[in-house]
Amino acid sequence: MKIRDRGVVVGRMSPGSNNCITDVPGVKVGHVTLDFPLDDKGEEYACTGVTSILPHGGNLFKEKVTAASYVLNGFGKTTGLVQVNELGTIEAPIMLTNTFAVPAVTQGTLEYMLAENEEIGETTGTINIVVGECNDSHLNSIRHFSVKPEHAKQAIKKASTLPAEEGAVGAGKGMVCFGHKGGIGTASRAVKSADTYTVGCMVLSNFGKKEELMAGKYGIESIKTGLSETADGSIIIILATDAPLSDRQLLRLAKRCGIGLGRTGSHFSHGSGDIVIAFSTANQTSHYSNEFILSSRQVRDDHPLMNELFTAAAEATEEAILNSLSQAETTKGRKGRRVEAYPFL
């Protein structure tokens, strides 16, 4: 159940049709969830997975989307963000997983893209793979490397424009948020101007102590149960829009996601990798072109629409985090550990 279905309304703007990142036309999401014991005693357990976000359903290498990333707190092990910020584009699915699975997911995504584009590394350049991670070692036996390259390929192939699953699924299977079960959450906002645009957000939530959640602000009861201390966590925030924005403007939008994160109670703690990856589907850049001048549209910085987009980014992030809590189910993992779903009353 999404947080709105529990009577909690975040912000002033209206959500998109499904209150999901896939409300942005063309965006697809896929999950592969791993949930099984690794030994007879149940001491070791695979409680993890992979999530893919595809900016559109075409060939992402041949038709790149405008993008930017922003680091709120850099305690993270992502791949590909240096090139994203240098060139302002994304050319492969955005992948989410656990910390130690970044190499396997990078390999699997690379293999998938090489199979789709035989010219990569031959008649044209290489490709930039973007993978974000959070540490799920409280519930997942992270040292056992349960995530394999094939799981990344499966997550990409399963990607759909349907409303995305949330909670303890995909990369979110083993994540803990505010001492309770977290994971995947998503939300969206409809932004109306001369045209109507959508801002969609998906989070992988794995941060915060139980006492840090601003429960009273949302009219929900503060819960005394839950974990006060877990392994250092993180949050990866994926922001999508069909508004025509440059990579510089997307960077500005990405910064506003930190407002939504802070509103829930986070202070970007020392051991938390808090990272935003933002993209726009409005202007696609062809890998092959005889033109040497690139033309694209973008919103004027001083137009009121920009402030509405900033508001949408903050609100969608805040609500996506709450949805990751609201949609998650109580989950068992390694060493008999159990993380309870937040007991909304």
Side-chain angles (χ1 to χ4, degrees):
M1 181 183 294
K2 279 185 175 285
I3 197 71
R4 278 183 183 251
D5 297 326
R6 301 184 188 275
V8 178
V9 176
V10 175
R12 62 171 176 81
M13 303 182 78
S14 298
S17 56
N18 292 304
N19 201 12
C20 179
I21 194 172
T22 58
D23 289 337
V24 178
V27 173
K28 304 171 74 174
V29 173
H31 300 297
V32 168
T33 305
L34 305 183
D35 181 13
F36 50 84
L38 296 170
D39 61 20
D40 294 336
K41 297 180 180 180
E43 286 292 297
E44 304 299 337
Y45 204 91
C47 184
T48 190
V50 183
T51 294
S52 67
I53 301 98
L54 281 61
H56 61 73
N59 189 309
L60 288 164
F61 178 73
K62 292 179 180 177
E63 297 297 331
K64 310 174 198 303
V65 296
T66 309
S69 72
Y70 182 66
V71 178
L72 293 161
N73 193 67
F75 207 108
K77 290 82 180 171
T78 56
T79 65
L81 298 189
V82 171
Q83 183 171 314
V84 169
N85 286 350
E86 184 71 19
L87 301 184
T89 58
I90 281 176
E91 57 186 10
I94 301 167
M95 308 298 290
L96 305 177
T97 191
N98 77 64
T99 308
F100 288 178
V102 169
V105 170
T106 301
Q107 180 180 339
T109 307
L110 178 59
E111 289 176 354
Y112 178 91
M113 294 302 293
L114 291 180
E116 293 286 304
N117 302 274
E118 295 182 355
E119 66 272 36
I120 295 175
E122 289 285 349
T123 58
T124 191
T126 57
I127 185 171
N128 187 48
I129 306 297
V130 176
V131 183
E133 55 77 30
C134 292
N135 180 359
D136 61 9
S137 61
H138 182 74
L139 287 172
N140 176 49
S141 296
I142 196 169
R143 290 171 60 94
H144 283 249
F145 301 105
S146 298
V147 174
K148 308 300 182 186
E150 186 61 32
H151 296 132
K153 299 177 189 177
Q154 291 172 8
I156 297 170
K157 292 174 183 177
K158 290 176 67 175
S160 166
T161 58
L162 295 173
E165 291 182 86
E166 299 174 75
V169 295
K173 178 61 183 177
M175 303 301 171
V176 183
C177 185
F178 291 122
H180 288 87
K181 192 65 194 74
I184 296 293
T186 185
S188 69
R189 290 294 183 271
V191 182
K192 297 182 180 180
S193 183
D195 294 311
T196 298
Y197 299 109
T198 303
V199 173
C201 180
M202 174 165 281
V203 301
L204 179 61
S205 70
N206 190 54
F207 67 95
K209 299 178 182 179
K210 65 177 183 179
E211 55 268 26
E212 292 173 339
L213 175 63
M214 295 186 178
K217 169 185 172 184
Y218 303 111
I220 57 180
E221 184 174 330
S222 296
I223 303 299
K224 295 181 180 180
T225 58
L227 305 175
S228 286
E229 297 291 345
T230 59
D232 282 334
S234 299
I235 183 169
I236 303 295
I237 302 169
I238 309 299
L239 195 72
T241 185
D242 56 353
L245 301 176
S246 68
D247 57 313
R248 176 186 58 78
Q249 291 173 320
L250 284 168
L251 176 59
R252 299 186 72 202
L253 211 64
K255 292 177 181 179
R256 273 64 184 185
C257 293
I259 297 171
L261 176 58
R263 285 173 178 170
T264 65
S266 171
H267 58 271
F268 317 158
S269 66
H270 163 70
S272 188
D274 305 329
I275 296 167
V276 186
I277 302 166
F279 65 86
S280 168
T281 62
N283 296 310
Q284 296 182 12
T285 303
S286 176
H287 185 77
Y288 297 106
S289 176
N290 293 324
E291 303 294 330
F292 69 97
I293 298 295
L294 178 64
S295 299
S296 62
R297 301 178 302 125
Q298 69 177 60
V299 176
R300 285 180 58 99
D301 285 309
D302 59 355
H303 193 280
L305 175 59
M306 283 302 297
N307 278 328
E308 291 295 284
L309 293 170
F310 290 160
T311 301
E315 288 188 8
T317 301
E318 182 180 7
E319 187 160 343
I321 293 167
L322 295 177
N323 280 334
S324 76
L325 282 168
S326 184
Q327 294 277 63
E329 298 178 347
T330 297
T331 302
K332 297 179 181 179
R334 62 188 292 254
K335 296 185 177 181
R337 292 172 180 169
R338 176 185 175 102
V339 178
E340 302 286 338
Y342 194 94
F344 293 94
L345 301 178

